């Protein structure tokens, strides 16, 4: 067992509970992290509030400038980040570099450049002539303390990206990483310190669901949760009771629609990568593939041939393309879905078998056909290395199948006709749709990420993710401070008549009617607001 600073701290505190950081490829415990006792939460909140009070008064551009120091700290610490993530989450090194390190670095770069502009006060021009004499401004104020509760599948880039947006918005962060990836969570907090962010602005709370629940009960000002539907529902219930605003990034069951004019060689490579990256343990995993009947056999053959070539192995093997699943219970869940599908008539063309020669958590990636929507495999999130392929005849049928899901996270459409691709994308119920690619929008900082239905609500990434971290405040300054307003007390018949004529003058169907109602009506003068007022 490696001795880490956390281990030492825990050993110095003999009563401390320890969380094991386990390598899913080998089952070895590589670090022990001190769990946060619920009794310590008030101190965490107190420190966070103190840190946030001065942080919120920093200019947004200065807060965002600090993100460049964070970017530099991540760049300097890149080997350590890759090492900890691959060891604790089991993912191949290439995936740790692209989807964890690079994404976090790029988010720091993106927010440091763009966020100051989006957080700058904005003038609000009024379209209504009656309101022209008022000057409106929007300002963007922090919520206060943002609780970020994150999963194990992207244990670095998810909490790091969300924490960066939260601090850019002027908040303090209490981060509760997954109990399966505590060392990576600790590293996220540590990097903020290395980048010289104010002490306690980003604190890490370690432990399982119980401390996560206690964190929410303690009343943060906003909760950003990424994880399963079941936990999301529990969190939403508590937050509804306490009126805490939330972002919920939950599961997915992403559909891929392959039309007969698609480049089948490219589409099949995308299906295999999109279904198996991170061993299928991605919210954006391609799980359901609908392929047009007349090319279905060719597409399936290509997917099977490509899947058989994939190399399984631990992250320590630089050529490994498919790592282990995070835990054995995850393997068992996938096996159960496969068993149920087969019992209903599905065919597993390749994969689905354990590779115990490599380790208990290794499962061969599987391609499954003869599937339908009565099967769990097509309804529930699989979150493992399985792609299930179902043929369709018409585009209407494909759209109906893709939309026949409680989830609405993302989807893809494959066709050489990009206009047709866009048209189909518009009909899909998903937070994002890619035409001729899968999942890569997640690496585009400008692209919002989030879903609807069982996939949750709210957005992360992009300007919309940043705006989740602030309260929008409207301030109005009247340019005629010595003029009482026409709609104040002192109500009379004249005032009501004038108000009616104003409505007609503003909204009548033709300009002639508008002008005549303002000018004169039934011999009476037009809009008059002069009167005795209270
Ligand atoms: P999970 O729901 O089991 O755990 C997520 C986090 O919630 C962990 O930190 C856990 O300790 C904590 N938690 C558990 N119970 C809690 C409670 N009652 N109150 C507060 N916190 C609690 O999910 P997981 O297994 O870690 O992650 C996998 C899931 O995450 C999948 O469903 C996947 O689709 C989803 N996910 C979604 C996105 C997205 O952006 N939509 C991204 C990654 C993962």
């Amino acid at each position: 067992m490696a001795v880490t600073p956390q281990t030492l701290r825990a050993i110095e505190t003999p009563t401390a509970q320890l969380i094991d950081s386990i390598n899913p490829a080998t089952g070895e415990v590589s670090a022990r992290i001190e769990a946060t006792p619920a009794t310590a939460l008030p101190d965490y909140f107190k420190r966070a509030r103190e840190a946030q009070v001065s942080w919120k008064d920093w200019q947004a551009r200065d807060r965002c400038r600090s993100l460049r120091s964070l970017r530099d700290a991540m760049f300097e610490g890149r080997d350590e980040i890759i090492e900890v993530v691959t060891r604790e989450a089991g993912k191949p090194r290439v995936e740790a570099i692209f989807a964890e390190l690079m994404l976090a670095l790029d988010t720091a770069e993106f927010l440091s450049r763009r966020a100051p502009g989006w957080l700058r006060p904005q003038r609000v021009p009024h379209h209504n002539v009656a309101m022209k004499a008022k000057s409106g401004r929007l300002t963007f104020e922090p919520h206060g303390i943002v609780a970020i509760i994150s999963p194990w599948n992207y244990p670095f880039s998810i909490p790091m990206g969300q924490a960066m947006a939260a601090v850019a918005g002027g908040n303090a962060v209490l981060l509760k990483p997954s109990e399966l990836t505590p060392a990576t969570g600790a590293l996220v907090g540590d990097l903020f310190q290395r980048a010289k962010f104010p002490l306690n602005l980003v604190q890490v709370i370690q432990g399982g669901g119980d401390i996560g629940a206690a964190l929410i009960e303690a009343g943060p000002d906003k909760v950003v949760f990424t994880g399963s539907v079941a936990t999301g529902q529990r969190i939403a219930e508590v937050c509804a009771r306490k009126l805490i605003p939330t972002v919920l990034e939950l599961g997915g069951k992403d559909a891929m629609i392959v039309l007969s004019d698609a480049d089948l060689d490219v589409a099949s490579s995308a299906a295999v990568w999109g279904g198996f990256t991170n061993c299928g343990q991605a919210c954006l995993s391609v799980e359901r593939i609908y392929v047009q009947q007349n090319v279905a056999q060719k597409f399936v053959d290509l997917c099977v041939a490509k899947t058989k070539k994939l190399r399984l192995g631990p992250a320590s093997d630089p050529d490994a393309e498919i790592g282990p699943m995070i835990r054995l219970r995850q393997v068992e869940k996938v096996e159960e879905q496969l068993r149920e599908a087969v019992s209903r008539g599905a065919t597993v063309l390749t994969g689905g078998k354990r590779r115990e020669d490599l380790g208990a958590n290794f499962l061969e990636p599987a391609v499954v056909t003869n599937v339908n929507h009565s099967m769990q495999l097509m309804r529930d999130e699989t979150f493992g290395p399985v792609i299930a392929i179902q043929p369709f005849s018409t585009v209407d049928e494909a759209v109906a199948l893709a939309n026949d899901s409680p989830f609405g996270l993302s989807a893809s459409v494959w066709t050489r006709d990009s206009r047709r691709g866009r048209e189909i994308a518009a009909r899909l119920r998903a937070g994002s749709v890619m035409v001729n690619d899968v999942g890569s929008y997640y690496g585009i900082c400008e692209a919002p990420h989030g879903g609807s239905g069982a996939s949750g609500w709210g957005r992360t990434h992009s300007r919309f993710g940043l705006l989740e971290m602030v309260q929008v405040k409207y301030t109005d300054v009247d340019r005629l401070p010595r003029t009482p307003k026409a709609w104040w007390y002192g109500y009379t018949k004249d005032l009501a008549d004038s108000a009616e004529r104003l409505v007609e003058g503003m909204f009548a169907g033709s300009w002639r009617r508008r002008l005549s109602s303002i000018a004169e009506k039934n011999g009476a003068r037009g809009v008059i607001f002069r009167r005795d007022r209270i």
Side-chain angles (χ1 to χ4, degrees):
M1 184 190 85
V3 176
T4 66
Q6 290 88 357
T7 324
L8 291 176
R9 235 187 298 125
I11 291 166
E12 282 161 15
T13 324
T15 52
Q17 295 270 332
L18 299 178
I19 311 166
D20 291 341
S21 166
I22 298 171
N23 182 335
T26 61
E28 282 165 3
V29 175
S30 50
R32 289 217 156 100
I33 311 289
E34 193 175 337
T36 310
T39 49
L41 283 179
D43 290 338
Y44 277 81
F45 272 80
K46 187 165 174 285
R47 290 193 294 263
R49 293 239 179 261
E50 283 164 6
Q52 199 259 336
V53 164
S54 45
W55 180 246
K56 75 170 170 27
D57 291 336
W58 286 40
Q59 295 284 327
R61 66 167 181 275
D62 295 331
R63 297 197 302 255
C64 293
R65 191 172 300 126
S66 302
L67 293 179
R68 277 183 225 147
S69 311
L70 183 62
R71 177 201 59 193
D72 294 344
M74 287 191 278
F75 183 77
E76 287 308 313
R78 62 195 182 281
D79 289 340
E80 184 186 0
I81 295 168
I82 294 165
E83 202 272 320
V84 173
V85 169
T86 51
R87 194 187 63 211
E88 198 168 56
K91 62 185 68 195
R93 193 176 166 82
V94 170
E95 293 181 10
I97 296 170
F98 276 134
E100 304 271 10
L101 175 69
M102 203 152 110
L103 192 53
L105 284 168
D106 198 34
T107 304
E109 182 80 19
F110 171 73
L111 286 173
S112 69
R113 284 174 190 274
R114 297 287 176 82
W118 291 327
L119 296 172
R120 200 173 293 143
Q122 287 176 12
R123 250 176 49 75
V124 183
H126 302 139
H127 82 281
N128 185 328
V129 281
M131 298 295 165
K132 290 283 185 200
K134 302 167 82 54
S135 162
R137 260 158 78 97
L138 296 178
T139 48
F140 303 94
E141 300 194 340
H143 290 282
I145 296 178
V146 177
I148 295 175
I149 300 184
S150 53
W152 47 264
N153 63 335
Y154 290 91
F156 186 75
S157 56
I158 289 178
M160 182 53 102
Q162 294 171 352
M164 284 191 273
V167 297
N171 303 283
V173 170
L174 293 175
L175 164 65
K176 211 298 282 171
S178 169
E179 60 273 37
L180 304 189
T181 49
T184 312
L187 184 55
V188 170
D190 200 35
L191 283 161
F192 277 91
Q193 288 316 302
R194 292 183 206 173
K196 306 255 179 305
F197 274 76
L199 192 65
N200 299 321
L201 189 71
V202 177
Q203 299 177 83
V204 181
I205 286 166
Q206 296 280 8
D210 48 351
I211 192 76
L215 169 60
I216 292 171
E217 279 296 340
D221 302 298
K222 175 119 190 182
V223 171
V224 179
F225 170 75
T226 311
S228 63
V229 177
T231 310
Q233 278 171 328
R234 243 171 270 143
I235 288 177
E237 279 168 18
V238 178
C239 288
R241 180 161 47 78
K242 300 173 92 64
L243 292 178
I244 300 173
T246 52
V247 171
L248 300 179
E249 294 284 12
L250 310 180
K253 188 77 192 166
D254 285 8
M256 171 176 185
I257 295 178
V258 184
L259 301 187
S260 55
D261 70 339
D263 183 319
L264 294 186
D265 187 34
V266 175
S268 56
S269 294
V272 167
W273 182 80
F276 304 145
T277 188
N278 208 29
C279 205
Q281 303 168 120
C283 54
L284 299 176
S285 252
V286 172
E287 297 206 347
R288 301 175 291 148
I289 303 178
Y290 304 106
V291 55
Q292 203 145 19
Q293 187 83 59
N294 56 339
V295 294
Q297 191 56 53
K298 187 168 173 208
F299 179 81
V300 167
D301 291 345
L302 283 166
C303 286
V304 170
K306 289 175 184 183
T307 300
K308 282 182 171 165
K309 283 191 197 151
L310 295 172
R311 296 180 295 266
L312 276 72
S316 54
D317 171 358
D319 292 334
E321 291 166 309
I322 308 275
M325 299 201 71
I326 191 81
R327 293 288 184 271
L328 189 58
R329 63 175 179 273
Q330 220 66 30
V331 177
E332 289 165 352
K333 195 183 135 211
V334 176
E335 288 174 332
E336 176 48 36
Q337 281 198 6
L338 287 174
R339 255 196 306 277
E340 196 254 6
V342 169
S343 75
R344 289 172 179 270
T347 310
V348 181
L349 295 176
T350 183
K353 298 206 173 64
R354 291 194 198 186
R355 284 289 306 273
E356 274 164 351
D357 55 316
L358 294 171
N361 300 343
F362 284 88
L363 183 69
E364 284 179 342
V367 180
V368 186
T369 54
N370 294 324
V371 291
N372 60 58
H373 282 208
S374 74
M375 300 168 181
Q376 282 171 14
L377 190 63
M378 297 301 273
R379 288 198 320 266
D380 301 344
E381 187 176 47
T382 303
F383 222 57
V386 181
I387 50 177
I389 308 176
Q390 182 173 353
F392 69 84
S393 318
T394 65
V395 167
D396 284 351
E397 189 193 349
V399 169
L401 284 166
N403 286 343
D404 179 25
S405 170
F407 295 98
L409 194 55
S410 89
S412 66
V413 182
W414 293 78
T415 171
R416 282 174 213 248
D417 180 347
S418 51
R419 214 184 74 179
R420 202 163 164 226
R422 269 188 224 278
E423 281 166 10
I424 296 172
R427 297 173 62 192
L428 296 177
R429 194 170 68 88
S432 61
V433 184
M434 301 203 81
V435 178
N436 295 330
D437 199 3
V438 285
S440 64
Y441 85 88
Y442 196 76
I444 300 171
C445 290
E446 288 79 2
H449 171 67
S452 60
S455 296
W457 57 61
R459 292 293 181 267
T460 55
H461 296 194
S462 80
R463 182 163 68 93
F464 299 98
L466 178 71
L467 293 179
E468 294 279 5
M469 302 297 185
V470 288
Q471 299 270 18
V472 180
K473 181 171 180 176
Y474 176 75
T475 308
D476 196 287
V477 178
D478 201 280
R479 292 197 183 101
L480 303 172
R482 294 164 59 82
T483 311
K485 305 306 166 215
W487 49 88
W488 291 355
Y489 284 129
Y491 298 166
T492 59
K493 181 171 180 314
D494 271 358
L495 178 61
D497 290 347
S498 293
E500 268 178 49
R501 282 196 288 284
L502 182 66
V503 167
E504 288 171 19
M506 288 175 73
F507 303 110
S510 72
W511 281 109
R512 252 179 73 190
R513 276 186 61 198
R514 289 186 188 188
L515 288 172
S516 68
S517 64
I518 291 177
E520 194 151 340
K521 193 172 178 189
N522 300 332
R525 285 186 58 194
V527 178
I528 317 164
F529 285 115
R530 249 182 310 109
R531 64 192 200 283
D532 293 333
R533 288 194 187 79
I534 292 172

